[in-house]
């Protein structure tokens, strides 16, 4: 009997030794009761671009890069504007001036973002644009008769932009047109579905900044062979915006001119902070000179 008891004790000792040497099981799902205290929020560090004030609700940076530079070359000559806790207003105006030949041959980058995304849930960008013409072709049955003696339709009038060939058909630029060439400015080149869509937006909870690059006027030649900066500049005076201009490279209709707008809104669409941007070209250097690359003044 004692022998059997000793054998049983020896077996139990061996089993305990084996179990103590095995690896402890790892729990995949924690089983502890969660704490009733509110956890401390972990906000990721937001990179602060050079020149942007701390805590900026919305900021804008505008830089240029020569069109001959490599695609990975850095943009330079940055101008920064921001609405921050120390700003006197929730809506500000920002002005950027670039030498006229440099602007004509440079791409322009717009960087927009927020260092305080809790106060800027939705950040939108509407590029500058204007209506170039309201003309539309007029069709009248005044042409030569066909083989059945019926006059053929002849299309006359309409808008022929500077980029069109001399023998191209006129464009219809009526009130509800969706023809991109009936509009001028930066938006036709920055918004893929313009004029169906006139801007872009992003949620700052997903990304705190975004960048948009406008190609150089020289490479796009949206105004034909003319060396002008109308594609980028929006420095047309408030008084002149009320006046129509016809038949020239700066053709425009009255009261249809929109500036660059950078806007923070709430989830209900309420405007919280905003920056209105005006870009102009500098015509005169220290030695004087003429307006060789026309803009709005």
């Amino acid at each position: 009997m004692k022998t059997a008891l000793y054998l049983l004790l020896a077996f139990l000792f061996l089993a305990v030794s084996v179990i103590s040497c095995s690896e402890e099981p790892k729990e995949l799902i924690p089983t502890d009761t969660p704490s009733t205290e509110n956890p401390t929020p972990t906000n990721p560090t937001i990179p602060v671009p050079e020149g942007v004030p701390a805590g900026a609700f919305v900021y804008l940076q505008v830089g240029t890069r020569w069109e001959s530079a490599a695609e990975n070359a850095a943009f330079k000559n940055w101008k920064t504007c921001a609405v921050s806790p120390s700003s006197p207003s929730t809506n500000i105006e920002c002005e950027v001036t670039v030498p006229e030949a440099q602007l004509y041959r440079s791409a322009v980058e717009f960087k927009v973002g927020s260092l305080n995304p809790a106060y800027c849930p939705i950040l939108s960008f509407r590029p500058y644009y204007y209506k170039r013409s309201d003309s539309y072709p007029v069709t009248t049955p005044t042409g030569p008769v066909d083989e059945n003696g019926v006059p053929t339709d002849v299309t006359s009038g309409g808008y022929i932009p500077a980029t069109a060939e001399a023998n191209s058909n006129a464009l219809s630029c009526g009130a509800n047109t969706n023809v991109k060439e009936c509009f001028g400015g930066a938006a036709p080149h920055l918004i893929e579905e313009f004029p169906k869509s006139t801007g872009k937006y992003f949620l700052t909870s997903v990304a705190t900044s975004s960048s948009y690059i406008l190609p150089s006027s020289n490479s796009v030649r949206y105004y034909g062979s003319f060396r002008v900066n109308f594609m980028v500049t929006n420095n047309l005076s408030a008084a002149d915006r009320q006046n129509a201009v016809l038949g020239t490279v700066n053709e425009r209709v009255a009261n249809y001119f929109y500036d660059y707008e950078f806007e923070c809104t709430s989830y209900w669409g309420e405007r919280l902070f905003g920056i209105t941007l005006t870009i102009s070209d500098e015509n005169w250097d220290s030695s004087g000179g003429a307006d060789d690359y026309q803009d709005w003044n």
Side-chain angles (χ1 to χ4, degrees):
M1 184 69 178
K2 290 182 179 180
T3 302
L5 181 60
Y6 291 150
L7 291 174
L8 179 60
L9 292 173
F11 175 77
L12 292 174
F13 177 79
L14 180 61
V16 170
S17 300
V18 171
I19 292 174
S20 65
C21 292
S22 64
E23 183 180 358
E24 293 184 8
K26 298 179 179 178
E27 294 186 6
L28 299 178
I29 302 176
T31 57
D32 294 341
T33 303
S35 171
T36 57
E37 298 179 359
N38 292 328
T40 302
T42 55
N43 295 323
T45 301
I46 300 176
V48 180
E50 183 179 355
V52 177
F57 301 117
V58 58
Y59 67 85
L60 163 67
Q61 294 186 300
V62 182
T64 58
R65 181 181 67 192
W66 289 101
E67 63 183 6
S68 57
E71 288 188 5
N72 59 352
F75 282 75
K76 300 179 179 180
N77 307 309
W78 290 100
K79 167 71 174 181
T80 300
C81 295
V83 179
S84 67
S86 60
S87 298
S89 173
T90 57
N91 295 280
I92 65 171
E93 295 184 358
C94 180
E95 296 184 1
V96 173
T97 300
V98 182
E100 58 181 347
Q102 178 182 342
L103 184 61
Y104 180 71
R105 293 183 171 88
S106 293
V108 181
E109 182 175 8
F110 305 88
K111 290 182 180 179
V112 58
S114 176
L115 301 183
N116 220 330
Y119 293 90
C120 181
I122 303 174
L123 213 169
S124 62
F125 169 38
R126 187 194 66 198
Y128 133 76
Y129 69 96
Y130 63 96
K131 189 78 175 291
R132 299 174 77 174
S133 176
D134 269 337
S135 300
Y136 55 93
V138 177
T139 301
T140 55
T142 58
V145 297
D146 60 17
E147 59 183 5
N148 297 317
V150 178
T152 56
D153 291 343
V154 172
T155 298
S156 62
Y159 175 58
I160 301 178
T163 52
E165 298 295 335
N167 59 353
S168 66
N169 293 327
L171 299 176
S172 177
C173 295
N176 298 317
T177 182
N178 286 319
V179 180
K180 182 182 75 171
E181 288 78 11
C182 293
F183 299 85
H189 311 284
L190 287 172
I191 308 299
E192 290 81 3
E193 295 186 353
F194 183 88
K196 180 180 178 181
S197 176
T198 59
K200 297 185 177 185
Y201 79 94
F202 61 93
L203 303 179
T204 58
S205 60
V206 177
T208 57
S209 65
S210 188
S211 176
Y212 311 94
I213 296 178
L214 179 66
S216 70
S217 296
N218 184 50
S219 63
V220 173
R221 293 298 178 104
Y222 194 53
Y223 293 81
S225 59
F226 296 98
R227 298 190 306 179
V228 297
N229 282 322
F230 296 124
M231 192 184 84
V232 186
T233 59
N234 62 313
N235 55 335
L236 184 64
S237 69
D240 287 339
R241 293 182 186 192
Q242 301 176 32
N243 303 321
V245 174
L246 301 176
T248 66
V249 66
N250 62 336
E251 179 164 351
R252 65 179 187 271
V253 302
N255 299 313
Y256 204 124
F257 197 100
Y258 297 93
D259 293 312
Y260 296 96
E261 286 286 349
F262 303 83
E263 181 182 65
C264 283
T265 62
S266 69
Y267 291 128
W268 292 267
E270 177 189 7
R271 182 181 173 110
L272 303 173
F273 310 99
I275 299 175
T276 301
L277 170 67
T278 300
I279 299 179
S280 60
D281 67 17
E282 176 59 52
N283 303 327
W284 297 81
D285 57 24
S286 58
S287 60
D291 187 0
D292 295 314
Y293 299 80
Q294 187 180 357
D295 66 343
W296 295 109
N297 59 24

